[in-house]
Amino acid sequence: MAAAARRLSAASLPLRHHHLLLRPFASSASGQPPIAVETSVPFTGHKIEPPSRLVDTTPSELLSFFRDMSMMRRMEIAADSLYKSKLIRGFCHLYDGQEAVAIGLEAAITKKDAIITAYRDHCIFLARGGSLVESYAELMGRRSGCSKGKGGSMHFYKKDSGFFGGHGIVGAQVPLGCGLAFAQKYTKEGTVSFALYGDGAANQGQLFEALNISALWDLPVILVCENNHYGMGTAEWRAAKSPAYYKRGDYVPGLKVDGMDVQINLSSPNTVLS
């Protein structure tokens, strides 16, 4: 844990230079000269010094972000129509409005890193390299779907790109993500696991158990709370005494970021994000 905290603080270097100490961002290989962009909202840190708001990027990277987020939005709008037409049966949990989280996260990592998430998984699957055909086929229960048509909306999966699925039980994916991180540390892969969950899962007991053992064993895992302020139909202020989810780890560093700003790139382990 102490080692992870030292890597997070990274002496006095701002976040955009952390790749000098850790590894390059996935987005740094374009070959174009970088431009500096300032994030729209300041970072708020817990047991960590907030990084600089300046982020290095390129024009082609920004255009790719916009293109990918637009595709995700159109996919989810179409899925909504198919669900209302009863061509998609069962559950259909959409991700529209949260596309920047998936794209910003993917820009900072590689396909060797692992991601596991809850039941809003369509766009995470696309960001990991999945196709629209596989997505719609899975939603409609077809054999050509990413889970052979057997998983449906909540259980997209792409192991070859490090995506270990969407999960329907609230909060259950978090300890599984920490288990992935344990395997990564055991095999000395030098990779990181990302366990995504919503604010509705932030009060689940298994999240705190997983966080405790991850900090105790110094696992390379980042817990990402995608806070859209509603756990299904329940407002966060009705479900949580403290909605400052980035502080929930207490003994681990946390960072509050603007989830609507795709320029926020992250690559440091053992962290709680909100």
Side-chain angles (χ1 to χ4, degrees), residues 220-266:
V221 62
I222 294 178
L223 308 187
V224 183
C225 179
E226 299 179 285
N227 182 10
N228 60 17
H229 306 294
Y230 282 87
M232 298 302 289
T234 304
E236 66 176 356
W237 62 267
R238 295 182 60 195
K241 183 64 176 177
S242 172
Y245 303 117
Y246 70 102
K247 296 181 180 179
R248 289 290 184 86
D250 183 25
Y251 37 78
V252 300
L255 197 63
K256 181 180 180 181
V257 304
D258 179 10
M260 304 306 294
D261 192 339
V262 76
Q263 285 303 318
I264 296 170
N265 290 330
L266 304 155

Side-chain angles (χ1 to χ4, degrees), residues 169-205:
I169 304 301
V170 176
Q173 74 279 5
V174 176
L176 294 177
C178 296
L180 292 170
F182 177 81
Q184 290 171 327
K185 182 175 181 179
Y186 187 81
T187 56
K188 298 179 173 61
E189 295 177 357
T191 52
V192 178
S193 289
F194 294 82
L196 280 58
Y197 62 98
D199 52 293
N203 300 307
Q204 290 286 317

Side-chain angles (χ1 to χ4, degrees), residues 109-176:
I109 64 179
T110 74
K111 296 298 189 293
K112 293 182 179 180
D113 296 305
I115 298 180
I116 191 167
T117 189
Y119 41 73
R120 300 188 191 278
D121 58 356
H122 309 162
C123 295
I124 302 293
F125 173 75
L126 282 185
R128 293 265 87 184
S131 70
L132 290 173
V133 171
E134 291 175 302
S135 300
Y136 286 120
E138 188 60 40
L139 287 170
M140 291 185 278
R142 305 303 171 88
R143 186 182 301 174
S144 54
C146 57
S147 298
K148 309 299 182 185
K150 297 179 180 180
S153 172
M154 297 192 294
H155 302 292
F156 281 35
Y157 191 77
K158 191 173 177 57
K159 184 180 178 181
D160 60 345
S161 294
F163 180 48
F164 290 88
H167 294 263
I169 304 301
V170 176
Q173 74 279 5
V174 176
L176 294 177

Side-chain angles (χ1 to χ4, degrees), residues 82-83 85-92 139-141 152-153:
L82 290 169
Y83 183 71
S85 301
K86 298 186 178 180
L87 293 172
I88 296 175
R89 299 285 183 162
F91 296 97
C92 186
L139 287 170
M140 291 185 278
S153 172

